[in-house]
Amino acid sequence: MNRAISPPPTKRRKTTASTAAASASKPCDIKPARPPTLRIFSWNINGISPFLQPPIPSFFQATQDKSNLKQAQPPIHAASLRAFLHRHHWPTLLFLQEVKISAQDTKAQDARDRPLYTAHFTLPTDTHNARGPRGSGKVYGVCSIVRDGIADFHDIAVRNVDWDCEGRVSVVQVTCPQTRARLAIFNIYAVNGTQNAYREGHTGAVCGTRHDRKREFQRLLMHECRVLEAQGWDVLLAGDMNVAPDERDGYPKLRVFPHDHVVSRADFHEKLLEGGGDAKESGGLHGVDIWRKMHGEERRYTYFPRNREWGSSCDRVDYFIAGRRFWDKGCVKACGIMDSEAERGPSDHVPIWADVELKADAN
């Protein structure tokens, strides 16, 4: 996979020693969340197929010669969304990115664990920019899995946005009827910047590169959030942002070449993070990277390519961004990264989580 901010080591800026290699053995257990806390998990699963059918190696496990194994391998959890939800104490929301199924594949969309949860898929319909292998449409796509019980205490609405046809954005809007507190939670698989052509959705005419589209995606996302905030909604972004925010978030180096990645990172800070200065003057969201805010200088990562030894090359590109008002009200209670090979499963990303509460604005 061509990662925008996850490059070969020769194109990264070196950072200091990392704890990534040791994280494989760290326990990832967290205590169950208690009401009124909403627990949100987000995970780029890099294709939902392994979760819907047995992997090919499973057919040979009975005859495997264990004497040929050089060393004990770390445990890998079975590719089961139901088991994932159970293992992590039935979170309120599970956001998945890169589900990689076709919008026409209704069978795959229905092959999910039904009890307790409802799955809402946002899949690509852009035939020019999201063709997938051999035009199958099995590329990108996000899925927002919502625990049914949340509707007993909150009003829930799930929608897409009208400015993205690549299956990259799903919005779960949660309202507390008692307090009228409102939170819009974005499930995001952001654009990966490359030199590949980006085509106009209706005509197919080339109108720039994927780098250009990445920056336009960031602008449109910022605008969507600002409109919601103006309407009284708090906002929380979650998912694979395809940007490592700074030097602390890439190991062994942060990507600085080609220069488009530096430009896109600066644009990301300007439009969505605190680097934009005063929100009213800059027009940016002025959002808060809650992991960095709550964990300071700690170096932890979320993207671990499968063709490299665990911890030898990794980036923090999956995280939560809280709108400034949501953060200032103290609505974010905790967050974490499940950085182990077991939790990575068949993907090349590990899950992340956050605990939040809805709070009405002070009168």
Side-chain angles (χ1 to χ4, degrees):
M1 179 183 296
N2 185 8
R3 303 287 308 174
I5 314 295
S6 303
T10 55
K11 296 183 180 180
R12 295 184 175 193
R13 180 187 300 158
K14 287 188 177 180
T15 63
T16 56
S18 169
T19 60
S23 66
S25 60
K26 287 186 178 181
C28 290
D29 292 334
I30 52 177
K31 295 180 179 180
R34 297 184 179 278
T37 298
L38 306 181
R39 175 161 291 163
I40 307 164
F41 269 85
S42 179
W43 187 15
N44 181 327
I45 58 173
N46 194 28
I48 204 170
S49 293
F51 296 85
L52 305 181
Q53 59 189 7
I56 291 176
S58 67
F59 295 103
F60 304 98
Q61 288 177 353
T63 59
Q64 185 180 28
D65 184 1
K66 296 184 179 180
S67 64
N68 291 330
L69 297 179
K70 294 182 179 180
Q71 59 183 5
Q73 298 296 315
I76 302 298
H77 295 304
S80 164
L81 294 180
R82 182 70 171 178
F84 180 92
L85 294 165
H86 186 190
R87 186 167 69 251
H88 296 304
H89 312 293
W90 311 110
T92 312
L93 298 171
L94 171 59
F95 286 171
L96 304 177
Q97 298 91 41
E98 276 201 284
V99 293
K100 295 183 180 178
I101 60 176
S102 167
Q104 285 72 46
D105 190 352
T106 56
K107 181 178 179 180
Q109 294 176 53
D110 288 336
R112 60 185 186 268
D113 296 303
R114 294 179 180 276
L116 300 176
Y117 288 83
T118 300
H120 302 268
F121 286 87
T122 300
L123 302 174
T125 57
D126 187 331
T127 57
H128 299 292
N129 298 293
R131 291 178 51 79
R134 296 180 294 278
S136 65
K138 295 182 178 182
V139 65
Y140 312 145
V142 299
C143 179
S144 298
I145 301 177
V146 182
R147 195 175 70 198
D148 292 345
I150 189 178
D152 295 338
F153 307 98
H154 301 85
D155 296 329
I156 304 295
V158 183
R159 65 174 177 87
N160 302 334
V161 295
D162 59 10
W163 45 266
D164 171 65
C165 296
E166 293 188 1
R168 294 185 176 277
V169 182
S170 170
V171 187
V172 179
Q173 296 183 254
V174 184
T175 303
C176 177
Q178 287 74 31
T179 66
R180 305 309 301 170
R182 298 189 294 173
L183 175 62
I185 313 171
F186 285 70
N187 179 2
I188 297 170
Y189 176 50
V191 175
N192 183 21
T194 70
Q195 290 294 338
N196 293 338
Y198 179 76
R199 299 179 181 276
E200 200 279 327
H202 297 291
T203 66
V206 175
C207 55
T209 68
R210 300 294 291 180
H211 288 298
D212 298 319
R213 179 57 185 173
K214 181 180 184 68
R215 293 188 280 271
E216 177 65 2
F217 179 93
Q218 291 170 176
R219 185 192 70 80
L220 291 166
L221 179 59
M222 173 200 70
H223 178 73
E224 185 84 20
C225 292
R226 292 298 302 270
V227 168
L228 283 168
E229 287 189 326
Q231 295 172 350
W233 290 87
D234 289 325
V235 297
L236 178 68
L237 281 55
D240 181 356
M241 306 299 174
N242 258 315
V243 173
D246 62 41
E247 288 83 357
R248 296 167 293 183
D249 302 309
Y251 180 81
K253 308 172 187 177
L254 183 71
R255 188 167 196 176
V256 295
F257 181 84
H259 189 64
D260 273 299
H261 297 299
V262 178
V263 174
S264 292
R265 184 180 296 111
D267 181 79
F268 184 83
H269 279 268
E270 178 72 21
K271 290 185 170 63
L272 295 170
L273 289 179
E274 296 172 282
D278 182 81
K280 292 182 179 179
E281 293 183 2
S282 69
L285 178 63
H286 201 55
V288 176
D289 175 353
I290 69 172
W291 164 264
R292 185 55 64 205
K293 204 74 168 180
M294 301 182 85
H295 293 267
E297 296 298 312
E298 186 174 355
R299 295 176 184 266
R300 300 277 288 278
Y301 308 99
T302 64
Y303 171 67
F304 296 83
R306 302 195 67 86
N307 61 347
R308 303 296 298 273
E309 181 182 357
W310 172 268
S312 64
S313 176
C314 39
D315 301 273
R316 189 176 70 93
V317 294
D318 307 82
Y319 40 90
F320 293 85
I321 298 175
R324 171 57 58 177
R325 184 174 62 203
F326 188 62
W327 173 262
D328 287 344
K329 288 193 296 186
C331 296
V332 180
K333 301 304 179 182
C335 66
I337 297 173
M338 315 295 281
D339 49 348
S340 73
E341 290 185 85
E343 290 291 350
R344 181 180 63 175
S347 180
D348 48 7
H349 292 247
V350 298
I352 59 174
W353 62 272
D355 286 347
V356 303
E357 294 181 6
L358 272 67
K359 293 183 180 180
D361 293 335
N363 294 328

